[in-house]
Amino acid sequence: MKEFTSHKPGTFCWIELATTDPENAKKFYNELFGWDFFDIPIAENNFYTLCKLNGKDVAALYGIFPEQLAMNLPPNWLPYVASNDVFYLTKLVKENNGKVITEPCNSMDEGIATVIQDLEGAYLGVWQAKNHIGASYKNIHGTITWMEHASRDNKKAIQFYEKIFNWSSKTEQMGEGQYTTFFINDEICAGLYIMPPQLDGDPSHWLPYFFTSNIDKSLETADKYKGDILMPKMFLQGVGYFAVIKDAQGAALGLVQGEEM
């Protein structure tokens, strides 16, 4: 089990849940992933909660703010990409017709965060670490293992992310559709697919996948806590078993049972 002490720029480093019911979300994710929690007050009756494995931070959650509810923001997981200069990155986002939703801001001495929106409207966080690197673990039970962009115009999305994060890409035929793999240098860092017609009502988005050591047990836990199974367990050669669920509050996430790294 590898413990991360830093994250390469251009790789995913952190994940954050905005939820309408933090206390029930804690119960669910504690049983699903074995997380413990540490609450940091951020507003009246609201906390930024660090989610921990082996005493180390692997994710966070917080209650959706009233102004976010007023914007009809649904419960969601927001992935973060590591950067060594978020100010320059937000400049690139604007130059390439993306939007900067939250200008770079200091999170005490922990780091500098920004939230961007790509040309299709998908949101993504960016984190420049100071004292807090992001997740201490990846690719083990209860941690992020893969990020996937659901796209309607893969050419626009690919060009945007190649310019913003200096990613390279490879697009291949997969079944009836195409699948794009993003790389930072020679390291695989994310994927992208074109949404099928049955998802016409869904906006473009980034979907995080979490590693699970037992996907059947994870799906049982989702059912127990009144979550939804959006995509049942499937098998992909070279990946393993995977599925997509929604928690009881409505935040979507993927599950992958493969080989721990």
Side-chain angles (χ1 to χ4, degrees):
M1 180 174 59
K2 176 183 177 181
E3 180 179 338
F4 286 82
T5 57
S6 64
H7 294 279
K8 297 177 185 177
T11 63
F12 284 86
C13 64
W14 190 238
I15 189 77
E16 197 174 74
L17 172 66
T19 180
T20 52
D21 192 340
E23 291 309 310
N24 277 322
K26 288 179 189 178
K27 293 175 184 176
F28 171 64
Y29 288 105
N30 170 262
E31 186 161 339
L32 185 70
F33 293 141
W35 287 349
D36 297 315
F37 305 100
F38 180 77
D39 293 335
I40 302 170
I42 53 174
E44 186 176 358
N45 299 320
N46 200 359
F47 300 88
Y48 189 80
T49 298
L50 295 171
C51 310
K52 295 175 174 285
L53 281 176
N54 301 324
K56 302 290 186 177
D57 300 341
V58 294
L61 64 86
Y62 67 92
I64 294 180
F65 292 99
E67 55 269 29
Q68 294 175 315
L69 289 172
M71 297 167 56
N72 296 315
L73 180 75
N76 68 91
W77 281 101
L78 179 67
Y80 281 78
V81 177
S83 172
N84 55 14
D85 190 342
V86 296
F87 296 97
Y88 178 67
L89 186 135
T90 54
K91 179 175 177 287
L92 286 178
V93 169
K94 294 172 184 177
E95 288 175 352
N96 287 280
N97 300 314
K99 295 181 180 178
V100 176
I101 303 302
T102 303
E103 292 289 345
C105 58
N106 280 289
S107 179
M108 296 180 285
D109 294 325
E110 304 302 321
I112 307 171
T114 186
V115 178
I116 64 172
Q117 191 175 30
D118 67 22
L119 306 185
E120 298 188 90
Y123 294 93
L124 190 61
V126 184
W127 180 251
Q128 181 178 339
K130 293 183 180 177
N131 292 332
H132 195 282
I133 64 150
S136 291
Y137 300 116
K138 297 193 288 188
N139 307 314
I140 64 169
H141 179 76
T143 67
I144 53 175
T145 189
W146 186 241
M147 300 292 175
E148 196 168 69
H149 187 283
S151 175
R152 298 202 184 282
D153 188 337
N154 63 338
K155 290 183 180 179
K156 285 171 60 175
I158 291 167
Q159 290 174 357
F160 178 80
Y161 287 109
E162 286 182 339
K163 291 177 181 176
I164 299 307
F165 294 125
N166 199 30
W167 288 347
S168 59
S169 66
K170 181 180 181 181
T171 300
E172 300 175 289
Q173 197 68 26
M174 183 176 288
E176 297 180 358
Q178 291 182 331
Y179 194 87
T180 298
T181 304
F182 288 113
F183 300 83
I184 185 75
N185 298 322
D186 293 328
E187 181 180 345
I188 296 175
C189 58
L192 177 149
Y193 73 99
I194 300 174
M195 286 188 281
Q198 58 264 38
L199 296 180
D200 277 349
D202 292 356
S204 180
H205 59 275
W206 280 95
L207 178 70
Y209 281 81
F210 291 82
F211 195 98
T212 174
S213 57
N214 188 329
I215 196 167
D216 293 319
K217 184 177 179 182
S218 295
L219 293 174
E220 289 173 5
T221 301
D223 184 63
K224 174 182 174 181
Y225 282 85
K226 302 187 181 339
D228 293 324
I229 298 176
L230 301 181
M231 185 179 71
K233 181 179 77 170
M234 300 179 68
F235 180 78
L236 182 62
Q237 190 68 39
V239 174
Y241 291 99
F242 66 100
V244 179
I245 65 173
K246 269 188 180 179
D247 65 23
Q249 289 72 49
L253 63 150
L255 301 168
V256 175
Q257 179 185 326
E259 185 177 347
E260 290 195 359
M261 298 171 63

